[in-house]
């Protein structure tokens, strides 16, 4: 029979997971006043019971795989972090570049940082990004085509995928709702998998732009391992263990 203290601690771990979206072993040990080894044993037990998914250095709730959020909800989250990430991303763009901008609120922030630049071609499946940049005299905007998704305001489907196979970009900026060191990038929407894979394949450099809240999270459908990326740009609140693991895996990481 499991000791009541153990039951209570594991119940508290589940509560913290659902509050935060993910947890680190070190933080749990400090909050619950036990050793990191004890927390690892708890997480292993919870994982075997199907209540959590182990991530690098911690866990995420198994029952809480990331779902799709409408654009309006994503646009108001972590706006300061997204702005810093966007400035760092835009600094990588050179005059004359062909830039692929994935759909999403972080890539939309990158688009805003490109305003006023000259000699750029921007290719995007995101209707809001296209509207943001279409009146910029120094930027040629190309929309991929495809089926428009309500509340997400981007295009996807066979026409989008066919278009992406026919282009090559100097650099692509990719967004994600979920990134994990061992699982890679993932999405709750199956149709987004070939879209994002196509964007990554079409670029000479594929740069992930994702704030720290997106890490140690998983969604249902895997897109690619982190090693398919040329660079990851995130913010300084990314846990040190995650940053170290990313760099150890060979992917350059810029924290802003």
């Amino acid at each position: 029979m499991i000791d009541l203290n153990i039951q209570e601690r594991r119940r508290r771990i589940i509560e913290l997971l659902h509050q935060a979206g993910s947890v680190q072993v070190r933080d749990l040990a400090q909050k619950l006043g036990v050793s990191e080894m004890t927390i690892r044993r708890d997480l292993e037990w919870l994982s075997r019971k199907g209540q959590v998914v182990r991530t690098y250095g911690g866990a995420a709730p198994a029952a809480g795989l990331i779902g799709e959020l409408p654009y309006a909800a994503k646009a108001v989250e972590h706006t300061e972090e997204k702005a810093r990430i966007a400035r760092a991303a835009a600094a990588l763009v050179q005059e004359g570049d062909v830039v692929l901008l994935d759909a999403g609120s972080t890539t939309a922030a990158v688009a805003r940082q490109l305003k006023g630049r000259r000699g750029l071609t921007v290719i995007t499946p995101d209707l809001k990004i296209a509207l943001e940049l279409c009146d910029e005299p120094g930027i040629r905007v190309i929309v991929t085509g495809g089926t428009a998704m309500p509340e997400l305001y981007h295009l996807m489907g066979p026409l989008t995928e066919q278009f992406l196979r026919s282009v090559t970009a100097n650099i692509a900026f990719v967004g994600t709702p979920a990134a994990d060191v061992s699982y890679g990038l993932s999405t709750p929407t199956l149709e987004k998998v070939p879209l994002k894979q196509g964007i990554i394949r079409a670029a000479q450099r594929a740069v992930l732009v994702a704030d720290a809240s997106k890490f140690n999270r998983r969604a249902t459908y895997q897109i690619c391992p982190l090693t398919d990326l040329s660079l990851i740009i995130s913010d300084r609140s990314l846990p040190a263990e995650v940053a170290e693991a990313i760099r150890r895996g060979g992917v350059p990481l810029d924290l802003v």
Side-chain angles (χ1 to χ4, degrees):
M1 186 172 178
I2 298 175
D3 183 86
L4 182 60
N5 290 336
I6 297 175
Q7 288 180 320
E8 177 62 22
R9 185 175 65 244
R10 290 172 178 170
R11 183 191 65 78
R12 182 63 179 146
I13 288 171
I14 295 297
E15 287 180 356
L16 291 168
L17 271 169
H18 284 281
Q19 290 170 10
S22 65
V23 291
Q24 292 289 294
V25 168
R26 180 184 60 187
D27 295 337
L28 283 176
Q30 291 174 351
K31 287 179 180 178
L32 299 178
V34 295
S35 70
E36 292 186 14
M37 182 60 70
T38 296
I39 294 297
R40 288 191 186 94
R41 285 197 294 265
D42 287 340
L43 293 178
E44 288 299 333
W45 187 89
L46 291 167
S47 177
R48 289 195 299 273
K49 296 295 183 181
Q51 295 179 268
V52 307
V53 173
R54 291 304 308 273
T55 61
Y56 188 88
L65 289 171
I66 304 306
E68 190 71 74
L69 290 175
Y71 182 90
K74 293 186 286 188
V76 297
E77 294 181 332
H78 308 285
T79 54
E80 292 183 8
E81 292 88 344
K82 289 175 182 176
R84 294 200 304 270
I85 290 167
R87 285 193 290 272
L92 300 175
V93 176
Q94 305 295 318
E95 185 174 345
D97 276 352
V98 176
V99 182
L100 252 172
L101 285 179
D102 188 11
S105 58
T106 308
T107 48
V110 176
R112 288 190 287 273
Q113 291 295 323
L114 295 177
K115 294 177 96 169
R117 304 281 288 271
R118 305 197 67 82
L120 299 181
T121 298
V122 171
I123 302 172
T124 185
D126 190 302
L127 297 174
K128 283 186 172 289
I129 288 175
L131 287 171
E132 186 81 42
L133 297 178
C134 68
D135 288 330
E136 289 294 308
I139 300 177
R140 183 188 187 200
V141 178
I142 299 174
V143 181
T144 60
T147 303
M149 306 306 294
E151 296 190 322
L152 298 175
Y153 309 111
H154 68 251
L155 307 169
M156 60 185 182
L159 289 176
T160 314
E161 296 157 27
Q162 181 180 356
F163 179 90
L164 290 170
R165 287 193 293 269
S166 70
V167 298
T168 300
N170 298 98
I171 192 166
F173 295 106
V174 184
T176 187
D180 182 79
V181 172
S182 58
Y183 192 61
L185 305 187
S186 56
T187 174
T189 305
L190 178 60
E191 293 80 5
K192 280 189 176 182
V193 173
L195 169 66
K196 290 183 179 287
Q197 289 175 342
I199 289 170
I200 291 168
R201 281 195 299 264
Q204 294 173 343
R205 298 180 69 197
V207 179
L208 176 67
V209 286
D211 66 81
S213 73
K214 305 303 191 301
F215 287 83
N216 271 351
R217 303 170 79 181
R218 296 187 184 192
T220 305
Y221 305 104
Q222 189 180 48
I223 298 165
C224 69
L226 297 187
T227 49
D228 280 7
L229 303 165
S230 305
L231 172 67
I232 294 172
I233 305 176
S234 188
D235 65 85
R236 291 186 294 270
S237 63
L238 188 71
E241 298 90 343
V242 177
E244 180 184 350
I246 291 170
R247 289 175 172 135
R248 193 163 57 242
V251 183
L253 174 66
D254 185 10
L255 299 180
V256 296

